[in-house]
Amino acid sequence: MAGSSFHHLPTIDVSALPPSLLGSVPSSSSTSSPGISPSSSSQGGDAPPFPPPLSSLQTEVSNQFSNINQAIIPPTLHVPACMAAGTFSFYSTMALSTLFQGKILRLSTGSMTPVPTIAGIATVAVGGLAAHGTSVVVTALQRNERDKKTRRRAMSSSSWWRQSTQQQTQQAPAFADFMTFDQASQTFQSGIQSIENDVRNFGRALRNDPAHAVRIATLALIAFKVLGGRFWSIPPSSYTSLGSFARVSHSIPAKMNYATSAQRKVIETVGRRWGCHTCGSRMVFARTKPSLSGGATSIVKFHADHMPPRSVVNAMDSRWWRRLLRIQVKQRFYPQCVSCSNVQGSILSKAASRNGAGGILKSKANGARALAASGGGSVAYNHGFRPRF
């Protein structure tokens, strides 16, 4: 154990110790000082004793280890880069998972409960591990680059290195270009090797200590919930169910009737502020045609979307146990942009005309479930890589 511990300790640069502390070791080849003969130097003379006093040596060793600790601990400037890399890695994992769930697994926010929630939990856990690993790699790369700069600065400060480089540069003008290319090549190769080693070490650490991976995933899940995230909203948005950006606080109560003029104005305001509940767009740069509403011309960017849709509510309310207990499905108006509203209308129209007049809408047992699923799967809105403007 002791050998493995000291193996990782940095070597103290003895040459950095002051000569007055180390003293001088007499030799026959050394030049004698004026007034001091070689014989007197060899017998001690005015030369300081060797080894030096223990207290002085301990003080100098402590200073060396203090410098080493300062070099090992990452400076504050590394924190923003690690945070940025971890954030980018987390959101990239979320976006790729959303794409995978929609295109491969055919999942959406309208899938059977609790499948979207389980998929979201798994995505956040993997994203937390990816963010942690990326931060570790970025820290190692920065530390490696700093060590290279330190070594390069030490070499450039050497008079022998400067003289040798200047002489070779003067004798061969192409030497400078070769040195530049060689340094760039070595930097690139060492960087790639460092990334591979860091990723390999990170994976080995997770395999050797699964509890550490569980801790990271748990912290990611807690942070996601504390910051207001919802696991079920990570899959793609269904056009015939609540979208990934739907929140009850961004909606108003509704009935089976269409929205009134006052309700449409409220939905228009809510939509421009918080975005469409399906795609999240606020329609900032959207070009829409003016419409005549209440005798005045206005630009409508959001429609009041019944959730659940009226067709789904009719199918759900037609079930025998709801009719027996007189329990009706409650609806709310959510803001939905004009583009998503048009897509939703097309999906509902195709679903209603499927298998004859009325189609699946007349099925009391499975009509609501089939209709809700018609807006998901391959036709669901993939919001992973889409901006919300």
Side-chain angles (χ1 to χ4, degrees), residues 20 30 42 73 105 127 131 176 312 326 343:
S20 59
S30 61
S42 62
I73 299 176
L105 301 181
V312 177
R326 296 183 179 180
V343 175

Side-chain angles (χ1 to χ4, degrees), residues 148-160:
K148 287 181 180 180
K149 291 181 179 179
T150 302
R151 291 192 299 267
R152 194 178 298 115
R153 192 180 303 112
M155 293 179 63
S156 61
S157 62
S158 173
S159 58
W160 171 84

Side-chain angles (χ1 to χ4, degrees), residues 155-178:
M155 293 179 63
S156 61
S157 62
S158 173
S159 58
W160 171 84
W161 176 260
R162 289 198 305 268
Q163 293 177 2
S164 176
T165 304
Q166 291 176 359
Q167 291 176 0
Q168 295 183 19
T169 304
Q170 293 175 359
Q171 295 175 0
F175 177 75
D177 297 336
F178 171 77

Side-chain angles (χ1 to χ4, degrees), residues 12-332:
I12 300 177
D13 188 6
V14 181
S15 62
L17 300 175
S20 59
L21 179 61
L22 293 178
S24 60
V25 180
S27 60
S28 58
S29 61
S30 61
T31 58
S32 59
S33 303
I36 301 179
S37 61
S39 59
S40 62
S41 298
S42 62
Q43 296 176 358
D46 296 335
F50 189 86
L54 181 60
S55 59
S56 301
L57 184 60
Q58 289 177 344
T59 302
E60 193 63 33
V61 169
S62 299
N63 295 335
Q64 288 287 326
F65 271 106
S66 177
N67 296 334
I68 291 172
N69 291 332
Q70 292 178 2
I72 291 177
I73 299 176
T76 309
L77 296 177
H78 289 180
V79 175
C82 294
M83 292 181 61
T87 302
F88 177 78
S89 178
F90 179 80
Y91 279 102
S92 298
T93 304
M94 298 271 286
L96 291 175
S97 176
T98 302
L99 180 64
F100 177 79
Q101 293 177 44
K103 300 299 182 182
I104 306 300
L105 301 181
R106 305 296 186 183
L107 297 180
S108 69
T109 55
S111 299
M112 183 181 301
T113 306
V115 175
T117 302
I118 296 175
I121 292 175
T123 299
V124 174
V126 174
L129 293 173
H132 178 69
T134 305
S135 300
V136 171
V137 171
V138 170
T139 302
L141 288 176
Q142 290 180 336
R143 185 178 300 167
N144 186 27
E145 184 64 22
R146 184 188 56 198
D147 293 342
K148 287 181 180 180
K149 291 181 179 179
T150 302
R151 291 192 299 267
R152 194 178 298 115
R153 192 180 303 112
M155 293 179 63
S156 61
S157 62
S158 173
S159 58
W160 171 84
W161 176 260
R162 289 198 305 268
Q163 293 177 2
S164 176
T165 304
Q166 291 176 359
Q167 291 176 0
Q168 295 183 19
T169 304
Q170 293 175 359
Q171 295 175 0
F175 177 75
D177 297 336
F178 171 77
M179 289 292 295
T180 303
F181 175 78
D182 185 62
Q183 290 178 359
S185 177
Q186 291 181 0
T187 301
F188 178 77
Q189 294 177 1
S190 61
I192 296 298
Q193 185 177 3
S194 177
I195 293 177
E196 293 178 354
N197 294 335
D198 293 332
V199 172
R200 191 179 298 110
N201 293 336
F202 179 71
R204 188 182 300 111
L206 293 182
R207 289 193 299 270
N208 296 336
D209 188 11
H212 182 58
V214 174
R215 287 192 296 268
I216 295 174
T218 303
L219 290 175
L221 295 174
I222 294 175
F224 185 80
K225 289 298 295 182
V226 169
L227 295 176
R230 298 164 302 166
F231 299 118
W232 66 268
S233 65
I234 295 177
S237 293
S238 172
Y239 284 101
T240 54
S241 182
L242 281 178
S244 298
F245 303 96
R247 292 183 181 271
V248 178
S249 58
H250 303 162
S251 64
I252 59 177
K255 295 182 179 180
M256 289 296 292
N257 298 329
Y258 288 104
T260 63
S261 177
Q263 289 174 329
R264 288 197 296 268
K265 289 181 180 179
V266 173
I267 289 297
E268 185 73 24
T269 303
V270 173
R272 295 193 182 196
R273 181 174 182 180
W274 300 107
C276 171
H277 80 94
T278 303
C279 66
S281 173
R282 295 178 176 87
M283 303 291 286
V284 176
F285 304 107
R287 295 181 179 180
T288 56
K289 297 180 179 180
S291 61
L292 185 62
S293 177
T297 303
S298 61
I299 297 178
V300 177
K301 294 184 177 181
F302 295 91
H303 292 165
D305 184 26
H306 275 100
M307 276 293 136
R310 298 173 62 187
S311 303
V312 177
V313 172
N314 290 333
M316 295 175 67
D317 288 342
S318 63
R319 294 179 179 178
W320 66 268
W321 62 270
R322 285 188 177 274
R323 294 199 310 268
L324 179 63
L325 300 176
R326 296 183 179 180
I327 299 177
Q328 294 183 346
V329 179
K330 294 183 179 180
Q331 292 178 296
R332 296 187 69 87

